Amino acid sequence: MNVNRRVLTLDEFTLQQLRHIPNATGELSGLLRDIGLAAKRVNVEVNKAGLVDILGDAGSVNVQGEDVKKLDIFANDQFTGVLHHGISCAGIGSEELDEFVAFDDTVSCQSKYVCLFDPLDGSGNIDVNVSIGTIFGVYRRVTERGEVASKEDFLQKGTQQVAAGYIIYGSSTMLVYATRRGVNGFTLDPSIGEFTLSHPDIKCPPSGKIYSVNHGNFFQYEEGVRNYINICQNKTKATGGPYTQRYIGSMVADVHRNLIKGGIFMYPGTIDKPKGKLRLMYECNPFAFIVEVAGGKATNGKQRILDIQPTELHQRTPMFIGSKDMMHELESCTGDK
Ligand code: AHM
C-alpha cells in the first residue's frame, strides 16, 4: 500500500508535525484533537437547526424528553467540556461566559495551555441557514505549571498565540488551524466522521477583488475608511478591479472566503460604537494570527491587532484584515499602519 497517497486525518497530520519538533510533548496535538471532537458534536446539532420546530425550541423539552439548549450554549458546553476533560488545557475563556474558567483539578493545573474561543460566531444567522463558525486561540500559560491558571494567562497579546483556528459549519464543515509553521484546512468527511486534510499550506493571495464591510454603517465610518470604500467601488480593470462586495455577516465565512480567494474584511468603529463590534480575544486575535501566518495583514486601523495588550477579556476592537496589498491601500487612505 502506498501510504503517501492516503488522505491524512487531523490526528495523523498533527502527529506527523511532531516529527519536525524534537522537544514536542504532543500536548498541542491533543488539544487540537479535543477541539476537533467538540466541533463534530456541534456540527451534528448545527445541521439539525432547521428542525427546531419539530425537535423543540431552546428552553423547551423535545420529543425525546430532553431539555433543548440554545445552540451557542450547547457549543460552549461542548468546547469547555472536551478541553476540561483533556490533558492539555489549564483553563478557558469564552465569549459566552463573563469570566474565564480555570480548571482546578490536578491534571488541568499541570497543563501547558489556555484556550480562548467564540463557540458559535454569527449565531444570529442560524435561523436563516447561513454559515456560522467557532473561533479559537491557544496560548502557552505564563504562570507555573501545577498552579491554577490565572488572569495573566488569559490576557496575553495575540503574538503569544501558539495556535489559532476556526471551524466553519457551511456547505461542508471545515476546521482550519495555524501554527507558526503554516495554515492547514481539514474538511469533515461525513462517511468516516473525520476531518481530513483538504487545504494544505493555505496562503492568502497578496491581492484580491473582494471587499467585505457592512455598507449599512457607511456614514458612521471615519473619513479614511469611507474614502477606501469609495476606491473599492470605483476600481476598474486598469486599477486591479472591478471589485466585488461580499458580506455575509458571519465573520468566519467572510474571512475564510477572503483568505482563500484574496480580499479584505473590515469591521470599523462607528460613531455609535467607536470600538466596533468584534472581540479582540475571541474573534480578532485568532484570525489575525491565521491570516498573518498565511501572508496577510490585520490591524485595528492604528496598530497591528496581534500587538494590542488586552486589558479585559471581552474588549472590542475595530478590525481590518486580509490580503497584504489591499491592506496597504487601505492604510494609504486612513494614514494609519
Ligand atoms: P455575534 O457575536 O452576535 O455572532 O456577532 C458577530 C458577527 C460576526 O461574525 C460578523 O462579522 C458581525 O457580527 C456582523 O455584524 P453586523 O451585522 O453588525 O455587520
Side-chain angles (χ1 to χ4, degrees):
M1 176 182 163
N2 182 353
V3 285
N4 293 326
R5 281 178 59 111
R6 212 162 53 80
V7 180
L8 289 177
T9 68
L10 175 65
D11 288 356
E12 287 173 321
F13 179 83
T14 55
L15 287 173
Q16 207 176 73
Q17 293 294 300
L18 291 179
R19 292 168 181 244
H20 304 290
I21 313 165
N23 300 324
T25 58
E27 282 174 85
L28 184 61
S29 306
L31 190 145
L32 291 166
R33 186 185 55 235
D34 296 340
I35 286 177
L37 174 61
K40 285 188 246 180
R41 290 179 177 156
V42 172
N43 181 56
V44 170
E45 294 305 310
V46 167
N47 284 170
K48 287 195 293 196
L51 296 171
V52 80
D53 289 340
I54 300 164
L55 299 179
D57 210 344
S60 65
V61 175
N62 69 15
V63 283
Q64 281 96 31
E66 302 154 338
D67 289 335
V68 180
K69 287 184 184 172
K70 274 186 75 186
L71 260 182
D72 35 17
I73 305 295
F74 175 83
N76 182 63
D77 291 351
Q78 290 304 320
F79 284 99
T80 306
V82 291
L83 291 169
H84 192 178
H85 292 125
I87 58 164
S88 312
C89 188
I92 58 107
S94 164
E95 208 215 25
E96 285 296 325
L97 304 173
D98 290 341
E99 302 290 339
F100 66 84
V101 179
F103 305 138
D104 58 5
D105 58 285
T106 317
V107 174
S108 300
C109 288
Q110 287 294 342
S111 300
K112 198 172 179 181
Y113 299 109
V114 297
C115 186
L116 288 122
F117 56 80
D118 182 350
L120 214 52
D121 184 71
S123 51
N125 282 323
I126 294 171
D127 293 346
V128 287
N129 212 350
V130 167
S131 298
I132 48 179
T134 299
I135 312 166
F136 62 91
V138 181
Y139 298 77
R140 191 170 288 120
R141 63 186 296 178
V142 289
T143 51
E144 290 291 318
R145 285 171 88 153
E147 291 174 13
V148 179
S150 64
K151 198 170 181 180
E152 60 206 283
D153 295 315
F154 297 91
L155 290 183
Q156 299 189 55
K157 289 183 185 178
T159 46
Q160 299 308 107
Q161 289 170 110
V162 292
Y166 59 88
I167 297 113
I168 178 166
Y169 310 99
S171 45
S172 56
T173 296
M174 270 189 82
L175 186 153
V176 176
Y177 85 89
T179 62
R180 280 172 218 287
R181 297 178 57 82
V183 186
N184 290 281
F186 302 80
T187 300
L188 184 62
D189 179 346
S191 65
I192 55 168
E194 292 283 358
F195 284 104
T196 51
L197 183 62
S198 54
H199 294 61
D201 198 19
I202 295 171
K203 299 282 183 224
C204 181
S207 196
K209 294 186 191 299
I210 299 171
Y211 72 104
S212 310
V213 68
N214 186 338
H215 261 283
N217 294 335
F218 182 84
F219 291 105
Q220 293 230 16
Y221 298 146
E222 64 173 63
E223 193 184 354
V225 174
R226 294 202 310 269
N227 288 343
Y228 177 67
I229 294 173
N230 281 331
I231 288 178
C232 292
Q233 290 174 317
N234 288 300
K235 284 276 179 192
T236 61
K237 210 170 181 181
T239 54
Y243 278 6
T244 299
Q245 202 274 351
R246 290 279 180 270
Y247 188 73
I248 296 172
S250 195
M251 187 187 189
V252 177
D254 277 315
V255 180
H256 174 72
R257 180 201 52 236
N258 293 2
L259 172 68
I260 305 284
K261 293 192 165 186
I264 187 167
F265 171 92
M266 299 173 271
Y267 204 109
T270 59
I271 295 167
D272 292 344
K273 294 180 182 162
K275 292 184 174 166
K277 176 180 185 186
L278 303 176
R279 316 269 187 162
L280 175 65
M281 303 308 289
Y282 311 114
E283 293 162 324
C284 302
N285 269 340
F287 271 121
F289 183 87
I290 296 161
V291 168
E292 280 202 10
V293 172
K297 242 189 125 176
T299 75
N300 66 357
K302 305 246 177 298
Q303 71 178 126
R304 188 180 171 216
I305 289 285
L306 296 178
D307 282 337
I308 299 173
Q309 176 61 57
T311 52
E312 48 179 306
L313 269 181
H314 292 279
Q315 82 190 59
R316 297 177 196 269
T317 174
M319 173 79 156
F320 304 89
I321 184 166
S323 293
K324 217 172 204 162
D325 296 349
M326 299 174 88
M327 287 291 292
H328 288 155
E329 188 158 30
L330 166 75
E331 286 155 13
S332 69
C333 293
T334 56
D336 300 319
K337 37 202 333 248

